[in-house]
Amino acid sequence: MCGIVGATSERRVSGILLEGLKRLEYRGYDSAGIAVIDKSQHLQTIKRTGKVQALADAIDETPVDGTIGIAHTRWATHGGVTERNAHPHLSEHEIAVVHNGIIENHETLREQLQALGYEFVSQTDTEVIAHLIHHERKTHNDLLDALKAAVRQLEGAYGTVVMDTKDPERLVVARSGSPLVIGVGIGENFVASDQLALLPVTRKFIYLEEGDVADINRSDIKIYDSANEAVEREVIDSDVNYDAGGKGQYRHFMLKEIHEQPIAVRNALEGRLSETTVLDDAFGEGAADLFKTIEHVQIIACGTSYHAGMVAKYWLESMANISCNVEIASEFRYRQSFVRPNSLLVTISQSGETADTLAALRLSKEMGYRGSLTICNVATSSMVRESDLAFMTRAGAEIGVASTKAFTTQLTGLLMLTVAIGKYRGMNEQQQAAIVKALQTLPAKLEEAVELDTEIEALAPDFASKDHSLFLGRGNQYPIAMEGALKLKEISYIHAEAYAAGELKHGPLALIDEEMPVIVVAPNNELLEKLKSNVEEVRARGGIMYVFSDKNARFTSDDTMNVLNVCHCDEVIAPIVYTIPLQLLSYYVAIIKGTDVDQPRNLAKSVTVE
Ligand code: AGP
């Protein structure tokens, strides 16, 4: 979502801030801005709509010069995409604020501040923070005290960083609901919404906890917890490796990340399998004790991660002999749900910061769940820190907004979870060993699937001129069809819908004509014959089909059907393998359509507001 960077140093900070913004741009990217305090203690501010490059170009023309500054990339929530609405927001040219999250009581605060004489120039919720701190500073001698007084009045979520021209050596920051990390330097310190922004300047990080405020100057960092007690937070040495320019030979991060899947899955499996079973330790200390006691699994996630959860339901119920519900986090958190005895709550999230999923996890702690497990790609994320157990997917940094390797590594983790839970619920040794064997073949199968690249590129022109498309699958391939549809709409802007193929005759068949390409995910499994009947229903109505299938399934290409042979693989890993051709299809359609593949319009990588 939005990205924050702040720095206080002896050197000029604009370069550090801009580089940080570029590294965060994949998260949210409709406008960007920077503010520094110059030698004469004035604020210099530049904002631009569009990409960070537009801001960089503006700074090239009119350099800003200061050793303390804050910067922000925005993903609009309150107020349109304009320079006025871009952060930093100022109050009386003294206070500058950047903010991630949503201030829910901003309208009330706005009215109160207007009554006090403050003039608002933007439509954002953030501007109230700037004026509120300015107002509080009149009665508090210290900037940090003014911040503390201001945040006590805020409802909603915030990660915020504040500068004051009257106190020009300090950044004061507050976290509640939106992550902030402090970067510890030598004679300089930093703050950001994600450590990726600060990797060029430091490897030492302090993660703020919920309710923390911090006071940061060049040589010192003081942190106070939600009870206003001074606290020491651990300094963590980061081993994350992220090269901002790192598309390598690839045109886009998404294509690179598609091609990285064999290695990402290999990493996800590494050291977590014995010859015959999955090692409980893969899920963290105490996993076995928890898995032995659970009788139900509740999965919560959003978007692509939700699709991974849907596949897991098929696996858990059919192989681990345990009931499983899957729910979209934004629905789960706002309804009264029934908690079955001895339930395990599983959250799935690439980022570990998705607001709805995180809120659901927090909520579950008061609901009587036996324990929580997160399947996550970011070790330092809130979800990992706040869950009882964690399975790290080890996909490596995923920069493309469209999730690819995060999804296939989540599925890999969830298949391992099926064995880890199943072994306490009657899954016998042969069954465990058979899944392990299939998992061991997975990286090689994914390599074969990635090699379909050129063949799929050749299919893409058929889709690029279409406005709609339909994806069909059955069983555990139904969520894969949903994921294929999500990928296509997300990056090519073509309307795509997925249906369980058996549902076709209950309505969607009415849509079929030669203008509606139908993509069928058809591995050679026990549902193949049923699926073939659905294929015939489409054919009989003049539909044009693209069938992704195993040679042994015996589909043949003709006027109405294009068959693309996917490598033969064990049925249990087929959902993971069949994901790849669908990712490639959406990628190449987007290329023809000329969309912004890595940063599609209106979207953000990490959705930290609800
Ligand atoms: C998928 O391509 C999207 N980027 C999106 O649906 C994403 O999966 C969703 O926002 C959840 O994110 P998370 O996995 O970081 O929680």
Side-chain angles (χ1 to χ4, degrees):
M1 208 108 267
C2 306
I4 285 177
V5 198
T8 171
S9 175
E10 282 178 342
R11 50 180 165 154
R12 208 187 235 206
V13 292
S14 54
I16 297 169
L17 298 178
L18 266 180
E19 176 60 26
L21 288 189
K22 282 184 185 156
R23 287 164 173 258
L24 294 179
E25 191 172 31
Y26 73 100
R27 297 168 66 111
Y29 35 75
D30 56 43
S31 49
I34 188 171
V36 301
I37 301 177
D38 65 19
K39 276 195 196 119
S40 42
Q41 291 187 216
H42 289 125
L43 279 172
Q44 295 183 8
T45 308
I46 301 189
K47 305 179 190 187
R48 287 293 180 271
T49 56
K51 302 253 173 169
V52 174
Q53 193 52 47
L55 180 69
D57 293 344
I59 292 175
D60 269 352
E61 269 177 37
T62 323
V64 290
D65 188 8
T67 55
I68 183 165
I70 55 180
H72 189 265
T73 53
R74 179 168 185 250
W75 185 83
T77 57
H78 293 69
V81 179
T82 63
E83 280 183 18
R84 279 189 172 216
N85 287 336
H87 301 211
H89 289 285
L90 311 185
S91 183
E92 307 299 318
H93 290 279
E94 290 174 0
I95 301 287
V97 169
V98 287
H99 161 232
N100 284 359
I102 289 179
I103 305 303
E104 287 173 352
N105 59 338
H106 72 102
E107 281 172 358
T108 318
L109 291 170
R110 181 182 273 251
E111 280 165 22
Q112 288 167 3
L113 288 159
Q114 278 168 333
L116 289 165
Y118 285 101
E119 204 179 305
F120 280 75
V121 295
S122 80
Q123 301 157 303
T124 64
D125 52 337
T126 302
E127 197 178 350
V128 299
I129 307 178
H131 294 313
L132 199 54
I133 293 171
H134 187 272
H135 175 63
E136 289 298 337
R137 209 194 43 183
K138 292 175 191 163
T139 48
H140 294 87
N141 285 337
D142 185 71
L143 177 64
L144 190 72
D145 291 337
L147 173 76
K148 287 178 185 171
V151 297
R152 278 198 289 273
Q153 298 167 61
L154 301 179
E155 289 167 18
Y158 51 83
T160 189
V161 183
V162 181
M163 284 190 316
D164 181 357
T165 56
K166 290 197 169 153
D167 199 350
E169 309 252 304
R170 291 162 89 186
L171 298 172
V172 295
V173 315
R175 173 200 164 139
S176 179
S178 283
L180 280 179
V181 59
I182 296 174
V184 183
I186 300 167
E188 55 185 2
N189 286 311
F190 314 93
V191 62
S193 49
D194 185 322
Q195 60 163 315
L196 286 183
L198 302 177
L199 288 177
V201 283
T202 184
R203 291 260 151 194
K204 293 191 181 302
F205 295 100
I206 300 171
Y207 283 86
L208 292 183
E209 295 190 4
E210 284 297 281
D212 281 357
V213 295
D215 191 354
I216 304 168
N217 64 32
R218 283 207 297 266
S219 54
D220 197 19
I221 296 163
K222 290 195 178 76
I223 302 173
Y224 302 86
D225 67 10
S226 53
N228 203 18
E229 298 290 333
V231 281
E232 294 284 327
R233 301 263 181 247
E234 191 187 353
V235 180
I236 292 165
D237 283 303
S238 171
D239 57 3
V240 169
N241 191 4
Y242 171 59
D243 173 6
K247 287 184 209 153
Q249 69 195 82
Y250 299 98
R251 192 163 156 196
H252 292 99
F253 278 110
M254 183 182 176
L255 188 62
K256 173 171 176 263
E257 288 158 6
I258 290 173
H259 280 258
E260 278 171 354
Q261 288 176 106
I263 183 94
V265 164
R266 193 168 283 127
N267 289 340
L269 294 169
E270 179 76 34
R272 290 166 162 176
L273 303 177
S274 73
E275 281 293 296
T276 54
T277 194
V278 170
L279 307 175
D280 294 322
D281 282 358
F283 300 90
E285 223 180 293
D289 292 340
L290 185 55
F291 293 162
K292 274 178 202 162
T293 62
I294 56 161
E295 293 172 55
H296 177 70
V297 176
Q298 172 69 58
I299 298 178
I300 305 291
C302 302
T304 290
S305 300
Y306 169 70
H307 296 152
M310 284 185 72
V311 176
K313 178 182 166 73
Y314 285 91
W315 283 334
L316 284 164
E317 294 202 338
S318 65
M319 298 186 288
N321 194 28
I322 191 164
S323 60
C324 173
N325 282 348
V326 191
E327 193 162 353
I328 292 167
S330 55
E331 288 298 313
F332 176 84
R333 66 181 289 199
Y334 288 117
R335 77 179 181 93
Q336 204 142 12
S337 57
F338 178 78
V339 184
R340 299 202 208 172
N342 299 321
S343 290
L344 172 69
L345 185 100
V346 177
T347 53
I348 308 172
S349 176
Q350 187 285 129
S351 61
E353 301 293 351
T354 299
D356 286 320
T357 314
L358 184 57
L361 168 64
R362 288 177 179 160
L363 198 68
S364 75
K365 298 195 189 257
E366 295 141 30
M367 292 171 73
Y369 280 90
R370 183 101 201 172
S372 56
L373 161 71
T374 191
I375 310 280
C376 191
N377 192 33
V378 181
T380 50
S381 65
S382 303
M383 275 181 233
V384 171
R385 282 182 286 133
E386 295 182 30
S387 298
D388 300 327
L389 300 174
F391 176 91
M392 298 316 308
T393 50
R394 301 178 182 160
E398 189 181 69
I399 305 299
V401 163
S403 195
T404 52
K405 59 179 181 170
F407 180 63
T408 44
T409 53
Q410 285 168 351
L411 287 175
T412 306
L414 289 161
L415 187 51
M416 283 195 254
L417 180 67
T418 303
V419 179
I421 293 177
K423 66 177 143 180
Y424 301 112
R425 300 187 61 82
M427 185 188 278
N428 67 36
E429 284 176 8
Q430 284 88 335
Q431 289 166 321
Q432 293 173 45
I435 299 174
V436 166
K437 203 168 155 214
L439 278 167
Q440 281 160 342
T441 65
L442 185 54
K445 291 293 166 190
L446 295 180
E447 261 160 38
E448 285 185 59
V450 162
E451 279 165 19
L452 293 169
D453 188 300
T454 326
E455 259 181 89
I456 293 173
E457 187 177 7
L459 290 180
D462 291 7
F463 291 81
S465 59
K466 300 287 189 282
D467 294 325
H468 307 277
S469 59
L470 201 57
F471 285 69
L472 301 178
R474 288 191 85 121
N476 61 21
Q477 294 288 349
Y478 166 45
I480 300 306
M482 293 173 77
E483 174 58 10
L486 176 63
K487 286 287 91 84
L488 190 68
K489 65 186 137 197
E490 187 176 22
I491 61 166
S492 77
Y493 315 152
I494 293 174
H495 171 229
E497 257 192 281
Y499 266 91
E503 260 306 276
L504 209 54
K505 53 188 165 299
H506 299 292
L509 212 46
L511 295 170
I512 301 299
D513 63 17
E514 62 284 358
E515 287 307 308
M516 170 74 92
V518 179
I519 298 97
V520 187
V521 196
N524 188 14
N525 62 21
E526 60 189 16
L527 293 168
L528 182 65
E529 290 312 316
K530 300 278 170 208
L531 190 66
K532 281 189 169 173
S533 307
N534 306 133
V535 163
E536 291 311 317
E537 290 162 10
V538 176
R539 194 201 296 273
R541 279 136 191 110
I544 307 292
M545 280 172 289
Y546 297 82
V547 180
F548 291 58
S549 187
D550 189 311
K551 246 191 198 133
N552 302 337
R554 294 172 193 271
F555 284 100
T556 34
S557 293
D558 58 27
D559 289 354
T560 57
M561 188 186 286
N562 298 279
V563 179
L564 189 123
N565 284 319
V566 181
C567 57
H568 176 69
C569 64
D570 192 296
E571 205 182 311
V572 77
I573 57 168
I576 313 178
V577 175
Y578 276 72
T579 297
I580 292 195
L582 300 183
Q583 295 169 344
L584 286 166
L585 180 67
S586 62
Y587 175 77
Y588 283 113
V589 175
I591 291 294
I592 296 173
K593 295 207 72 179
T595 58
D596 190 342
V597 172
D598 283 334
Q599 297 176 344
R601 68 186 181 197
N602 305 340
L603 299 180
K605 181 69 182 165
S606 175
V607 184
T608 51
V609 293
E610 56 168 310

